[in-house]
Amino acid sequence: MACGCIPVPIPQNYSKGFSPFEESHDFFEKYNFIAEWFDPEASFSKKFHLSYFIKDDSIELFDLRNLRMFLKRTKCDGVRLCDIYVGASVKIYSRLMKIVDYADVETKRKLSQTSQKTFGFIKPDGINKKGAIFDMILERGLKVVNLKMVLMNNDLARRFLRDQFNDYSDILSHEQILVSGPCILFELIGENSVQVLKELAGPTNPDIARKEAPTTIRGLFGKDTLHNVLHAAESFEAAGKEAKIFLFGEPSTLEKNFQPCMTVTNSTFCIIKPHAIQEGLMGKIIAMIEEKNFKVTGMKMFHLNTAQAEEFLEVYKSVVPEYSGMVSQLSSGPCLAMTVESESYGPNTPQEFRNFAGPSDPDIAKELRPNTIRAKFGKDKVKNAIHVTDLPEDAPLEIEYFFQLLE
């Protein structure tokens, strides 16, 4: 029971050739996890032992309730070791499984550094540089696994700042900054992520950062110690505590402490698709959007299951032949939902943004609209970087679906 790992009974008649717990020469070539899948027909969660074999990227599932093999060792397209960590949702043959724990101490030991989580947020004074900041983070090999743009209230800001500063005047001055506009909360995963993010952020004083570490986030974008763009957790323990405060608290508490910051008037809706997230393109796409007189006013990372993707994309079901592929792609990993507005375009924002997204076929986009998002980042009609609202009247409905119904 060490390290919080869940002890699991092994059936006596379980074949040694497939046992997830066998002591074999290739033990160090596989990682073992506990995964859960909510069975909608039975209306309860089923628990599995998931083994990932790094030699051939194959997986194996053992049903812990019925004590039998559920999926013999096989390759599953789209499932990579970097996508499997505690808290992740992994799509395995249309089933969205959540990784809830390590299955043994050795897996936890081996992945504790390579899959280390950290927490941070972009402050209101850095919000206009969010695309560039996320691009820098992703370029360092870190992966965004949770993200939300919020308006923080005074109580939450003060609760957080009491752990950061001893002087009350410092707490008040920083509190004023944190509640002055939207913040983007995020959780990252990667090798030594806590230290990597701290180094990337740079000294807390941007003047010192510009002298000693000019290519860091604060060195490039910070103004002073109050307006230093980014918060990065100081330690692994602090990261866990802060993530719990900001991202994983009781829903009622989070509703009380945060206000939605997205806009609906003169706005449209956009999703950065899972393949673009996995390819580390999120920062580049956001930066490109905001360089073209558009403003991202709301952001949240989601991981849709197949039923949710089908429901959202239902309008395309009898219209486009790529419908099933679109559903599979949208439910294949984390996606980033965004509301986008433009003072320049006003009520024409949905149409102008759709034009800027480009044709749904990236090959056509490259020929006819080479400076569009899909021309630069799309691969094919399914993996075309972003989903964009088709009709202006649909924008409020799509915004409501993600930012209210799915919430």
Side-chain angles (χ1 to χ4, degrees), residues 305-342:
N305 59 36
T306 301
Q308 290 167 333
E310 286 176 341
E311 183 177 41
F312 179 72
L313 296 170
E314 188 175 10
V315 67
Y316 300 100
K317 189 172 184 178
S318 302
V319 179
V320 296
E322 294 83 17
Y323 170 74
S324 61
M326 292 164 62
V327 169
S328 180
Q329 166 57 205
L330 194 57
S331 59
S332 66
C335 63
L336 185 65
M338 304 187 294
T339 55
V340 180
E341 71 169 18
S342 173

Side-chain angles (χ1 to χ4, degrees), residues 170-191:
D170 285 337
I171 293 175
L172 287 181
S173 57
H174 283 83
E175 178 186 330
Q176 291 177 354
I177 300 299
L178 292 185
V179 300
S180 65
C183 296
I184 301 177
L185 315 173
F186 58 81
E187 192 175 26
L188 308 175
I189 194 168
E191 187 169 1

Side-chain angles (χ1 to χ4, degrees), residues 186-297:
F186 58 81
E187 192 175 26
L188 308 175
I189 194 168
E191 187 169 1
N192 297 315
S193 63
V194 173
Q195 188 60 32
V196 171
L197 183 61
K198 285 171 61 179
E199 291 175 355
L200 185 59
T204 55
N205 186 331
D207 289 332
I208 296 175
R210 277 185 281 274
K211 294 177 182 177
E212 299 180 357
T215 59
T216 59
I217 292 171
R218 291 169 180 148
L220 290 170
F221 308 122
K223 181 180 177 183
D224 52 46
T225 52
L226 280 176
H227 305 84
N228 64 357
V229 180
L230 184 78
H231 166 74
E234 277 295 316
S235 65
F236 178 73
E237 293 72 23
K241 180 179 179 181
E242 292 167 10
K244 187 174 182 180
I245 292 173
F246 288 105
L247 293 173
F248 304 114
E250 291 296 325
S252 59
T253 303
L254 293 178
E255 283 184 18
K256 176 183 175 182
N257 290 327
F258 296 137
Q259 295 295 321
C261 53
M262 73 280 191
T263 57
V264 177
T265 304
N266 296 336
S267 293
T268 190
F269 180 73
C270 171
I271 301 172
I272 299 181
K273 293 188 174 182
H275 82 91
I277 298 288
Q278 292 164 352
E279 293 165 26
L281 299 175
M282 184 182 81
K284 289 180 172 62
I285 292 174
I286 294 171
M288 185 174 177
I289 289 171
E290 299 203 316
E291 286 170 0
K292 297 293 182 179
N293 294 322
F294 295 103
K295 180 181 180 182
V296 177
T297 58

Side-chain angles (χ1 to χ4, degrees), residues 101-151:
D101 202 354
Y102 299 105
D104 57 55
V105 176
E106 192 64 20
T107 296
K108 182 170 184 175
R109 184 185 68 81
K110 284 179 173 291
L111 297 182
S112 60
Q113 292 301 315
T114 57
S115 298
Q116 185 185 78
K117 287 185 180 180
T118 191
F119 173 83
F121 57 82
I122 299 175
K123 300 178 181 180
D125 54 288
I127 210 76
N128 291 333
K129 298 294 183 182
K130 53 184 172 287
I133 291 171
F134 279 122
D135 196 38
M136 292 175 68
I137 289 171
L138 296 169
E139 286 289 334
R140 285 294 299 270
L142 299 179
K143 180 178 179 180
V144 181
V145 296
N146 205 343
L147 185 152
K148 184 193 299 186
M149 182 187 286
V150 298
L151 288 169

